Amino acid sequence: MSDHDHGRGRGLPLPTYVSYLMYQTEQHRRARAADCIAQHGLNFGKWIALASLARFGECSMTRLAKLSAADRTTLTRSIDGLIRDGLVERGTQASDRRKVVVRLTPTGHELLARVGADIQPIHREVCAGLTEEEQVNLAGYLRKMLGGLIPEPDWKHEVLSYGSAPTGAAWERE
């Protein structure tokens, strides 16, 4: 195989090959993570919902779907199950009691901490072949790619920064 073929994934255009590699990497990581989280009675959708609520705090369903990049119907089923399991609760937003939000319960926080401890070795294994510098570079490249896929500045900021959206952000006006 020539360097040209190797760099392009046996003739695939480079952007297609990069997308293929990202997809395959995520699918293999996800399979490993699914086995781990299943030991805690969760499926992948429920785990993502819990992790997103821990990361972003209480959210409307619209905001949670957007920030977790989850399908709204699947997310609703996951949240309903998490509520039945006592891991999430529905409530109203403190600043506007008309707005319904979901938030983690103390039991949800505890479970997420246990899952997090068990899943850390998988995260380390995924990056085991990369130096710390390569991991930093890869994270930067992925942030750049993801940022290019999110056209709304408020959402982009919040997803990429792991922080709060600027005051007056779209989700605050929901």
Side-chain angles (χ1 to χ4, degrees):
M1 174 177 359
S2 72
D3 286 341
H4 174 76
D5 287 342
H6 177 72
R8 292 195 173 274
R10 297 182 183 240
L12 288 174
L14 191 53
T16 301
Y17 187 53
V18 167
S19 294
Y20 166 79
L21 290 173
M22 288 189 318
Y23 173 79
Q24 287 292 326
T25 301
E26 175 56 10
Q27 289 302 103
H28 284 81
R29 185 203 65 84
R30 198 178 249 224
R32 290 243 172 119
D35 289 344
C36 176
I37 62 177
Q39 295 173 14
H40 294 275
L42 298 172
N43 61 32
F44 205 79
K46 287 181 177 181
W47 179 61
I48 291 296
L50 286 174
S52 295
L53 286 170
R55 177 176 162 196
F56 297 111
E58 72 176 31
C59 293
S60 69
M61 288 297 290
T62 299
R63 179 173 182 247
L64 184 60
K66 192 132 185 159
L67 293 173
S68 65
D71 170 73
R72 179 71 189 258
T73 302
T74 303
L75 180 63
T76 298
R77 268 192 305 257
S78 294
I79 291 293
D80 288 346
L82 292 168
I83 290 170
R84 277 192 304 277
D85 296 340
L87 302 171
V88 170
E89 64 186 5
R90 272 193 188 89
T92 56
Q93 192 176 54
S95 62
D96 185 346
R97 311 241 357 121
R98 297 170 295 172
K99 293 183 182 178
V100 176
V101 294
V102 290
R103 65 181 69 90
L104 286 178
T105 63
T107 305
H109 279 286
E110 291 167 11
L111 178 62
L112 193 56
R114 288 194 305 275
V115 173
D118 289 349
I119 210 163
Q120 280 306 311
I122 295 169
H123 294 317
R124 284 192 296 275
E125 185 179 340
V126 168
C127 294
L130 301 174
T131 66
E132 186 174 340
E133 181 180 356
E134 289 170 330
Q135 290 177 51
V136 168
N137 289 336
L138 178 59
Y141 300 142
L142 291 171
R143 284 174 48 86
K144 192 173 190 178
M145 292 171 75
L146 180 57
L149 295 171
I150 304 172
E152 303 93 342
D154 295 342
W155 295 110
K156 182 184 304 192
H157 169 79
E158 191 158 15
V159 168
L160 294 177
S161 71
Y162 276 45
S164 300
T167 303
W171 63 265
E172 291 180 332
R173 296 186 295 267
E174 289 177 2

